[in-house]
Every structure is written in structure tokens, then in C-alpha cells.
Amino acid sequence: MAQQQYPVEVQSDFLEKITRAKPVQALAELIWNGLDADAARVSISFGHNEMETLSEVIIRDDGNGIPRARAPEFFRRLGGSWKKPGGSTETGRFLHGQEGRGRFKAFAIGTRAEWAVTYKRDEKLWKYSITMSANDIRHVNISDEVEVSKPTDTGVTLTISDPHKDFRSFVSDAGIHVLAEVFALYLADYPDVNVTIGGKRIDPAQMIASRKAINLADIEAGGKTHPVRLEIVEWKGLSNRALFLCNEKRFPLVQVDRRFHIGDFQFTAYLESSYLTVAQKEGTVDLAEMQTPVVAAIDEAQKTIKDYFRQRSAMEARSYVEEWKTEKVYPFDGDPATRVEEVERQVFEIVAVSVAKNLPEFGSSAPQNKSFQLRMLRQAIEKSPEELQVILNEVLRLPKRQQEELAGLLRDVSLSSIISSAKIVADRLKFLTGIEAVLFDPEPKKRLKERSQLHRIVAQNCWMFGEDFMLSVDDQSLTEVLRSHKKILGEDIVIDAPVKHVSQERGIVDLMLSRSTRRHNSDSITHLVVELKAPKVKVNTEEISQIEGYAASVMDDQRFRNVNVSWVFWVISDDVGPHARFRMTDESGLIHKKDNVCIFVKTWGQVLAENRSRMKFFQERLEYQADKGASLKHLQEHYAKYLEGVFDPEPAPASGDVVAAAK
């Protein structure tokens, strides 16, 4: 047949797009060409040479073909398309139509392409061929048409020869899955359409485990409202996770680069919107992820996907959890009292169920071992992903990929921080309520010892005096106070003698806490010296004299002078006497302020109130109320060695307060 040659009008950026196309994605574009021509069947087959290597790729469809008169138009304009995005075929199927790029994707697979076209005109069948070469992509050769004498189907057979390589990915499970992702929704909508590759049919019914559609927030742009819909497709036996941006007809346009930590679930999500249809028409789809409305929609989609699979995981976990509860190895008691506890349990159950699924011996282990392992997991989740990683690897020996999935789950800020923050705040609220009972309830108050009990408990909870303080000296002489500041005073200073106390040979400081703040070009150090008194001791003349003696000793020692340090002294007990009240200059308890030294008289009531005020916001948000009984139990469990003898071993028969609560 005679041929005519036509120049191809090349758009400036299009050749680069073609050469970068991935082979399987290029194959998908060629399949779309047949489907957009109303093909009911599209098949991909492969030819091999005597060396059993790939020699040609053949794509056949039974569509309408391309009329010879329109062929030059279809092939001359590289980057234009005869199809209108969002349109429909003659039978009413949605058109894929994307920039006319599909026919030129052949050159991402091989260097030579020939389209053998059969179409119907004037009730007769006609055929002709179109050939192009990657070496001369600016020219297309179209033969004259001839009438077909024998009955045959219309359609196009594209033969791509001289492939760039063997392309085993075309018939691999991974390659089939990529095509399934692209065509799943289309083939599910049009079950009569058949697409095969290497004899294997892309059958969504056999590959899709479930589908879930969720409406997201609309996109408002250009005075128009564009609905946004997310469709999540779960796969059977395929390992992949992807999120595609789609036009309103659900055709995947571009894959989003996002990662998901959702356990073992495998899925493809399709984010559909007419806003993306507009971007497709304008040719800006490749830049969609740089547009604020699309980024917001992707963020919402990512969160929705995580929430969806987190709920799915929780549902799957129920059967395991019920079994653990029956065996009495579940490490939680009762129902969750707050939203925080609910989230904590949900995360625990996802991790624990994943462990149970991946370790067959876990289910058959003795209840005692199972109980220990579940408690260990709970503690790790509450503390940190790093600790969880150690347990999963060294103790439970979970597979590496599973370890990374579960640790990644806890790195999700919305989960790990809410659990850890809730744990800290809840424990501190329990501590405050418990220590309040110890300090103010009559019987424990009488028995509590200053040095060996109260002092030791408070030393472990210096946050009571401010989050930015850290403990530097605990119950040491003033000489040790000085030694702790050697790095401030200078390495050339030799501390070879005790600090001389103004009224005695040695002075013992209960607690000294330090904090550093930068002001302008220098560091400012603040030291808080705390003198603790037993609850039964009122702060009065003697106690004030003692704390002022500490302060005077500091001011009188030349080694403490000319240093950028502020000193704050507190003396604390349950109550104050008349002399202390007389000395106070304001509600804060200030009794002395001179140069860089301040002295305060504090009551435990003040300290506890200030702490509760600091945490009021968290208490309200976490919906947490510290129960007195639970708080005392918490205190006894965590500080048992310091509270020996403070509480009666058995509750008094008529008492309903402290002793009963402690039990």
C-alpha cells in the first residue's frame, strides 16, 4: 500500500514526558486507547525470538478503530487529543481522554510502532496501517486504505517491536497489580469489558476484597463548589498501598507520594473531584500537589484512610480481646473512662493482635506467659516507640517489617503524644491528690516522717516546683551546694573548706533545684533551695530563722559573689504560725527580697493549688478526674518503701475516708 508522510507537531515539553514513562504505566495508556474506542475486549500478548527474549508487544482491541480521514489529525498533534476529558464513548462509557499521549507511550516500550486499523465506513470494512519510529518521532507514515473482503472485527492491533528490554514486569504479579489499580474501578463499573495480559484477565471481582466510599470536604475554588470523594479499595493477597488523584469519573491521573502506617492492610485509595477534572483539562494535573486545595484534600484523605483502617483493626481485634478477657490476661480493667483511655486501648489492641497473628506460638502459650507479654506491650506503648521496638525484636522476635509498621504507628504524633501526655498528666493528678491526703488527713499526717519519707517522695517529683527546674542537690551540706556551682564560678576556684554557716558549723539543705535561662548574650541561672518540714510542724520563728540562715550563708560567702545567679529559698509545711504570717509581704509568701536573693514561706496547700492550676487545661481536655482512692493506691504502689507505717494495714471499721480509700 502507498503511504503518505505527515509532520508531527511536537509540544515543547511532551517528548520528555514520553521518555520518562514507566513501561507498565505506558501499557496502561495504550489499553485506555482501546477502551475509549468502545472496545469490549483488549488483550496484550508477547512475541519472543529464538533466544526466548521479548521481541514484540502486541495490544489488540475490538473497538471502533480510527477512520482513515481522521488519522492525520490524531497523530500530527503530539500533546493534543480528539477526546474531551469527562466525555463519553458511543455506548455511553466514560472517556479517559488525557492529552492524546496514549498513542505515543508506545515508545516508552520499544523503538518502532505499527497500528493496524480496521474500521467501518459506508457499511463496508476498511483497513490501513500507521507506522512511527522513536528515531524519527516527528514524522508519522499512514498507508492508503483498502477494503476488507472477509468479515472481521473492527479495532486496532498495535505492534511494538525492538523493545528496550525484556520487560518481565508486564506479566509479574506486581505489574498485573499496577494495571489492576488503574482499571479496577472502571472494570467494576463495566463488567462486560475484558482486559487480559499474557492470558491473565484483570478481574476486579477476584482481586478486590472490599470497597468503601467516603465523602470529604468540598473544594471551593473560582466561585464553584467541587465535591471530593475518597474511595478505598482493599486487595486480596496483594502487597501495595497507594493514593491516586482522579478526575470526577474516577480515572487515576497521578499517584500521590504519601506513606501509611496501617498494619497489614493493603489498599489503593482514589481521591476523586471535579476540581481535578478542571486541572486535567488545563493540563496542570502534574502540579496538583502544589495547589493548596489539593494538598488540604490529600491531608484529609490520608487522615481518613488511617482512621478507617484503625477502626478496621480494632474490629478485627475484638475476637482476640474477648478471648484474652476470658482468660483474664487482658492488661486493662473495666471500660475506658475517657477518650484518652479509649485511644490507648485501641492502639494497644492493634499492636497486640498483630503480634498474635504473626506469632503462632503466642496463642498456645500458657496464660501466665501471655499475661506477662501483654502487660509488657502495654507499658512499651505508654512509654515510647523505641522501647516497643526492643520488645518486638529481642523478646517477641516479630518479623522486621512488622516491627517497623507497629513502631511507625506509635510515631504518629496524634497517637503517641496523646497517650504519653495523658499518662503523665493523669499520674501527676493522682500524685497531687494522693500526697494531699498524706499531708492533711489526720492519721497519715501524724505518722509521716520528714527526712526518710516526705523528703524522698518530693525529691522524685521536682516538677511540683516548676517544669523547668532540675534537681542538683538533695539533702547535702552547703559545701556541696557550692561544689555543684563550680562550673559557674570557674574551674580555677578551689573548694577546700566548708561554707561557714552564720549560726552553726554546718547547714543541711533539703533540695536545691536549678534552671538556666538565656538573656541577651549571657546565661542567667536561678537556684531554688527548698527546706521541707514535716506536716505537723508549723513554719514560724525557728523555721524562718533556719531558712534565713541558709540565705545569709550564701550571701556571706565570697565564692558566691559576682556570679550571674539568682537564689530563691522556700520553707514549706502544712501551715504557718503568727510570726510567719507577720513577715509575709504578699500572697506569694515573700518575706525577704534583696539583691539576688528571695525568701518565701510556702504551705503545701499553695504548692498543690499552683500545680493544679497549671494542669487545669489538660485536666479539662483529658476529661480526667483524680479519684481519691485510686490516687492513694497509685501513691502506695509507686512509693511503697517511703510510706511504710504511714497507713494502717487494715481500714478502720467506721472510717470511710483516708484509710478506706487507701485500701
Side-chain angles (χ1 to χ4, degrees):
M1 292 185 288
Q3 292 188 345
Q4 291 176 284
Q5 191 176 79
Y6 300 88
V8 177
E9 298 175 16
V10 182
Q11 304 295 332
S12 60
D13 63 341
F14 209 70
L15 286 177
E16 186 179 356
K17 288 184 180 180
I18 290 175
T19 57
R20 289 185 178 180
K22 293 181 179 179
V24 176
Q25 293 172 342
L27 194 60
E29 289 289 345
L30 297 169
I31 294 171
W32 277 126
N33 274 355
L35 296 176
D36 284 347
D38 258 338
R41 294 184 302 277
V42 179
S43 65
I44 298 93
S45 58
F46 308 96
H48 296 82
N49 57 27
E50 59 274 9
M51 302 294 293
E52 295 299 320
T53 58
L54 184 68
S55 60
E56 58 184 17
V57 177
I58 304 157
I59 300 101
R60 295 186 177 91
D61 71 68
D62 63 354
N64 298 325
I66 305 170
R68 172 62 179 79
R70 300 187 65 185
E73 173 192 347
F74 291 172
F75 279 83
R76 286 178 64 190
R77 290 187 54 80
L78 184 55
S81 178
W82 62 274
K83 312 167 202 172
K84 295 180 180 179
S88 60
T89 67
E90 291 180 7
T91 60
R93 298 207 312 249
F94 298 133
L95 274 174
H96 171 248
Q98 188 176 352
E99 298 180 352
R101 69 176 63 178
R103 54 190 176 271
F104 295 99
K105 291 295 184 182
F107 300 109
I109 299 173
T111 60
R112 180 177 171 78
E114 179 178 352
W115 289 262
V117 183
T118 302
Y119 77 103
K120 192 172 186 179
R121 175 172 59 83
D122 300 330
E123 301 302 319
K124 296 179 181 180
L125 293 175
W126 302 84
K127 66 178 182 180
Y128 65 97
S129 66
I130 305 166
T131 58
M132 291 185 71
S133 171
N135 297 325
D136 186 19
I137 201 170
R138 292 177 181 272
H139 292 92
V140 57
N141 297 297
I142 304 176
S143 72
D144 291 336
E145 64 182 0
V146 296
E147 186 177 348
V148 180
S149 57
K150 295 180 180 180
T152 186
D153 292 332
T154 59
V156 176
T157 298
L158 168 60
T159 302
I160 305 171
S161 53
D162 297 330
H164 301 311
K165 61 179 184 178
D166 206 21
F167 291 127
R168 297 185 183 275
S169 60
F170 285 158
V171 291
S172 68
D173 288 341
I176 295 292
H177 181 62
V178 170
L179 294 174
E181 285 184 313
V182 174
F183 295 102
L185 300 184
Y186 183 92
L187 295 175
D189 288 340
Y190 304 110
D192 294 335
V193 176
N194 190 313
V195 177
T196 61
I197 178 167
K200 299 178 182 178
R201 183 184 177 189
I202 301 175
D203 184 1
Q206 297 298 318
M207 304 174 74
I208 294 177
S210 68
R211 293 172 63 179
K212 175 71 174 179
I214 304 168
N215 291 325
L216 304 184
D218 295 340
I219 292 177
E220 302 288 343
K224 294 183 179 180
T225 299
H226 299 275
V228 180
R229 184 180 176 88
L230 178 70
E231 187 150 2
I232 303 171
V233 175
E234 292 184 67
W235 304 102
K236 298 176 182 176
L238 294 173
S239 180
N240 193 59
R241 295 170 185 172
L243 172 62
F244 286 94
L245 299 182
C246 307
N247 61 21
E248 60 190 312
K249 303 305 182 185
R250 298 182 302 178
F251 291 130
L253 303 175
V254 63
Q255 184 173 343
V256 176
D257 184 19
R258 293 289 178 101
R259 294 186 178 183
F260 300 87
H261 299 291
I262 53 168
D264 292 327
F265 295 103
Q266 306 303 323
F267 74 95
T268 302
Y270 304 87
L271 185 61
E272 313 150 10
S273 176
S274 56
Y275 183 87
L276 293 165
T277 302
V278 174
Q280 182 186 14
K281 292 178 180 178
E282 294 175 348
T284 59
V285 169
D286 291 334
L287 302 176
E289 289 185 74
M290 299 175 65
Q291 300 175 30
T292 301
V294 177
V295 172
I298 292 172
D299 289 342
E300 185 183 3
Q302 186 176 29
K303 181 180 182 302
T304 301
I305 290 167
K306 287 184 178 181
D307 290 344
Y308 172 73
F309 284 111
R310 195 170 291 143
Q311 292 169 6
R312 286 286 312 280
S313 295
M315 290 175 62
E316 285 191 4
R318 286 175 186 168
S319 59
Y320 285 91
V321 172
E322 291 305 317
E323 180 182 340
W324 294 334
K325 287 181 177 178
T326 301
E327 294 179 349
K328 296 183 179 179
V329 297
Y330 187 65
F332 296 91
D333 297 324
D335 296 324
T338 67
R339 172 59 182 157
V340 171
E341 291 182 10
E342 184 181 336
V343 171
E344 181 181 359
R345 292 194 191 191
Q346 193 177 62
V347 175
F348 164 80
E349 288 167 7
I350 291 172
V351 175
V353 169
S354 185
V355 170
K357 286 180 178 178
N358 283 274
L359 297 176
E361 63 273 17
F362 182 85
S364 58
S365 61
Q368 184 177 4
N369 293 338
K370 199 181 297 183
S371 176
F372 170 73
Q373 291 172 336
L374 292 175
R375 288 199 312 273
M376 193 165 51
L377 281 178
R378 176 187 174 180
Q379 291 172 1
I381 290 169
E382 290 175 351
K383 290 184 178 179
S384 73
E386 288 71 25
E387 185 167 331
L388 176 66
Q389 193 88 10
V390 172
I391 291 174
L392 296 177
N393 179 31
E394 299 182 8
V395 182
L396 299 178
R397 300 190 182 280
L398 210 60
K400 187 68 176 176
R401 187 183 68 83
Q402 201 68 24
Q403 294 178 39
E404 293 172 354
E405 288 281 355
L406 298 177
L409 175 73
L410 293 192
R411 291 189 189 100
D412 185 330
V413 174
S414 63
L415 290 174
S416 60
S417 59
I418 196 174
I419 292 172
S420 59
S421 298
K423 179 71 175 171
I424 291 171
V425 173
D427 283 351
R428 288 185 178 183
L429 288 168
K430 285 180 182 178
F431 176 84
L432 292 174
T433 303
I435 198 69
E436 184 177 47
V438 171
L439 291 168
F440 295 106
D441 287 356
E443 292 303 315
K445 177 178 178 177
K446 284 193 299 185
R447 301 189 186 106
L448 186 68
K449 297 175 183 177
E450 176 189 337
R451 285 266 184 250
S452 61
Q453 294 179 324
L454 177 62
H455 184 114
R456 308 317 312 164
I457 294 171
V458 172
Q460 294 185 37
N461 293 274
C462 292
W463 52 266
M464 298 172 67
F465 307 109
E467 296 291 347
D468 46 357
F469 280 111
M470 59 181 295
L471 183 64
S472 57
V473 173
D474 173 13
D475 200 4
Q476 300 293 320
S477 70
L478 285 176
T479 300
E480 290 306 311
V481 172
L482 185 60
R483 291 185 191 280
S484 72
H485 306 313
K486 185 173 181 179
K487 62 181 179 181
I488 300 171
L489 298 169
E491 292 299 325
D492 57 332
I493 292 180
V494 178
I495 301 172
D496 56 359
V499 175
K500 185 177 180 182
H501 196 281
V502 294
S503 60
Q504 60 191 63
E505 290 190 2
R506 296 179 64 84
I508 301 298
V509 178
D510 280 353
L511 298 171
M512 190 179 77
L513 303 107
S514 304
R515 73 178 176 194
S516 175
T517 57
R518 183 174 292 278
R519 294 177 182 172
H520 305 296
N521 295 321
S522 62
D523 286 329
S524 174
I525 308 298
T526 298
H527 295 307
L528 172 64
V529 178
V530 179
E531 174 66 23
L532 302 174
K533 294 301 177 184
K536 55 183 174 286
V537 176
K538 286 185 178 183
V539 176
N540 212 20
T541 305
E542 183 179 344
E543 291 71 31
I544 289 176
S545 177
Q546 182 185 26
I547 197 70
E548 287 182 330
Y550 291 157
S553 300
V554 168
M555 295 301 294
D556 192 54
D557 195 303
Q558 63 180 0
R559 290 168 294 183
F560 283 95
R561 297 173 190 164
N562 301 318
V563 177
N564 191 23
V565 176
S566 297
W567 292 86
V568 180
F569 293 84
W570 286 10
V571 57
I572 308 177
S573 190
D574 275 13
D575 200 0
V576 299
H579 180 227
R581 280 193 291 272
F582 176 78
R583 291 285 306 277
M584 291 181 191
T585 60
D586 56 33
E587 293 181 356
S588 69
L590 180 68
I591 62 171
H592 173 89
K593 181 175 177 60
K594 183 179 179 182
D595 299 328
N596 62 336
V597 175
C598 294
I599 304 174
F600 292 85
V601 171
K602 296 279 189 178
T603 66
W604 280 115
Q606 280 180 290
V607 175
L608 298 180
E610 288 168 2
N611 274 277
R612 283 203 172 92
S613 177
R614 281 209 310 266
M615 285 185 283
K616 183 178 180 181
F617 173 82
F618 296 102
Q619 184 178 17
E620 291 174 350
R621 292 301 185 274
L622 297 174
E623 302 169 355
Y624 185 86
Q625 295 295 329
D627 171 75
K628 183 175 180 180
S631 301
L632 284 172
K633 182 180 178 182
H634 169 83
L635 206 66
Q636 288 177 293
E637 288 174 350
H638 288 76
Y639 304 100
K641 64 181 179 181
Y642 301 137
L643 291 172
E644 185 177 353
V646 175
F647 294 97
D648 286 334
E650 297 293 336
S655 175
D657 48 25
V658 178
V659 179
K663 299 300 287 182

